[in-house]
Amino acid sequence: MTRPAWLENPWKQNPWFESVAVAQERARKRLPKPVYGALVAGSERGQTIAENEAAFRELGVAPHVAGQHSKRSMETTVLGEQVSLPVIISPTGVQAVHPDGEVAVARAAAARGTIMGLSNFASKPVEEVVAANPATLFQMYWTGDRDVMVHRMERAHAVGVKGLIATLDWSFSIGRDWGSPEIPEKVDLKTAVRMAPKVGTKLRWMKQFAKAGVIPDLTAPNLAPADGGAAPTFFGAYYEWMNTPPPSWEDVAWIRQTWAELSGTPFMLKGVCRVDDAKRAVDAGVDAISVSNHGGNNLDGTPASIRCLHPIATAVGDEIEVLLDGGVRRGSDVVKAVALGARAVMIGRAYLWGLAANGQTGVENVLDVLRMGIDSALLGLGVSSTDELTPEHLLVPDGFHRALGVRPN
């Protein structure tokens, strides 16, 4: 067996971490305070972001003592793509925690046999990300007019993405009780000098970018205009969103139909937390939904995603694929979500912490941690596959579920 390189120097920190919590702590130590703050911040008092994780702790499991299976499978399909575990990468914008950004995440997802979700607010162009992982889903916000959105869909289709995700649950709340982290309009010499006291102490983080010959990029290349003009900054994209009227259900049907005619690949609506909205999504022709509250970055006070999952899966799970994102930190969280009706989960902060801690290898590490946790839970529960999971494998407290948008009898 090859001796791990880190053992040659026992004083050097082991680059491998055994939990997402350790990845988060390493990210906190490595990143400048404003950058780390942008990863962990939720809107307003942070009630929803805290609830996303806390709700998983309320769910218990009922393990067996003997008769477990020696071989266990967690393979499944998501939107027609075979994945090696029921965990895919959720799209997150401007991954400036590492110079390789979304490309490193895409490579890690490909190496671990799963899907990459790419935000149109990403810091790397869709062409580079698809080259790194052909199993990429492209995500769009409802920004710009229809011609602009068609151009973005055409660009994504041209490079071969495997599906489209429309994220509509975004209000970009800036009212945070602990203060919002500073995000500069762009990183130039003037900005670097002004922010030097906040980033100058994080030498390892700065050396990464210096070695790569780049600076943290806050532009959104996937939002570049059709005329070949410059891509907007994050705040330029935000300004476009502010000036775009919110979508109607007719708009949802339009974007789904437009994508179907252009590409013929699946369409997911992300951000659903109500049963009535899930049913409207089915009527609009979507192939999948993600039960999500935008990781606590939308309307604070929204229930945890896992509380909303089972009522939605029960209502529409026979018609479309149902995924979940929000608060997943352990393999056992994945198992709980699948048992309550999710085809798979989407992770966000977990892989960003891995990316910050150790680049592509750190993201692979996070996926490995989740895989081991899933396998351990399957073993204890006495099932041979994630396909066998049902609510009966869980201890669900009375009143746990939140069936939003359901009229009482």
Side-chain angles (χ1 to χ4, degrees), residues 302-321:
T302 304
S305 299
I306 191 66
R307 295 189 188 276
C308 301
L309 173 62
H310 188 58
I312 290 175
T314 301
V316 302
D318 290 338
E319 300 175 84
I320 59 174
E321 293 182 20

Side-chain angles (χ1 to χ4, degrees), residues 128-357:
E128 292 183 18
V129 173
V130 172
N133 187 344
T136 292
L137 303 175
F138 185 67
Q139 177 263 2
M140 288 177 51
Y141 289 98
W142 187 262
T143 63
D145 61 30
R146 288 190 173 188
D147 288 342
V148 167
M149 285 184 266
V150 169
H151 163 68
R152 291 167 183 166
M153 286 187 271
E154 289 174 339
R155 177 179 172 184
H157 168 62
V159 297
V161 300
K162 301 299 184 181
L164 186 72
I165 302 172
T167 301
L168 306 183
D169 66 325
W170 188 44
S171 61
F172 199 79
S173 172
I174 60 173
R176 306 180 192 274
D177 287 7
W178 51 89
S180 296
E182 180 182 4
I183 302 175
E185 172 72 14
K186 60 181 179 179
V187 179
D188 52 18
L189 180 60
K190 182 179 180 180
T191 302
V193 171
R194 180 173 56 81
M195 298 193 71
K198 297 181 179 180
V199 303
T201 59
K202 303 298 181 179
L203 296 179
R204 286 190 300 167
W205 183 76
M206 295 175 64
K207 286 179 180 178
Q208 276 187 324
F209 285 90
K211 185 176 180 180
V214 298
I215 60 175
D217 192 354
L218 301 180
T219 61
N222 297 306
L223 297 178
D227 62 9
T233 64
F234 174 83
F235 285 101
Y238 174 55
Y239 179 80
E240 180 184 81
W241 170 80
M242 288 181 65
N243 286 278
T244 303
S248 65
W249 281 107
E250 288 73 22
D251 290 324
V252 174
W254 170 82
I255 193 172
R256 178 263 169 197
Q257 183 63 31
T258 302
W259 180 252
E261 293 172 356
L262 176 67
S263 172
T265 58
F267 177 89
M268 178 194 297
L269 181 64
K270 186 174 181 291
V272 177
C273 59
R274 295 173 56 108
V275 173
D276 52 356
D277 279 354
K279 291 179 177 179
R280 292 293 298 271
V282 172
D283 293 341
V286 309
D287 301 292
I289 59 174
S290 178
V291 178
S292 168
N293 51 42
H294 214 108
N297 272 302
N298 187 30
L299 184 61
D300 198 30
T302 304
S305 299
I306 191 66
R307 295 189 188 276
C308 301
L309 173 62
H310 188 58
I312 290 175
T314 301
V316 302
D318 290 338
E319 300 175 84
I320 59 174
E321 293 182 20
V322 177
L323 288 84
L324 172 133
D325 75 83
V328 174
R329 302 290 184 266
R330 298 162 189 83
S332 59
D333 296 340
V334 179
V335 166
K336 292 171 182 177
V338 174
L340 291 178
R343 173 67 63 92
V345 304
M346 306 175 77
I347 59 170
R349 289 183 176 91
Y351 78 78
L352 289 174
W353 292 327
L355 178 66

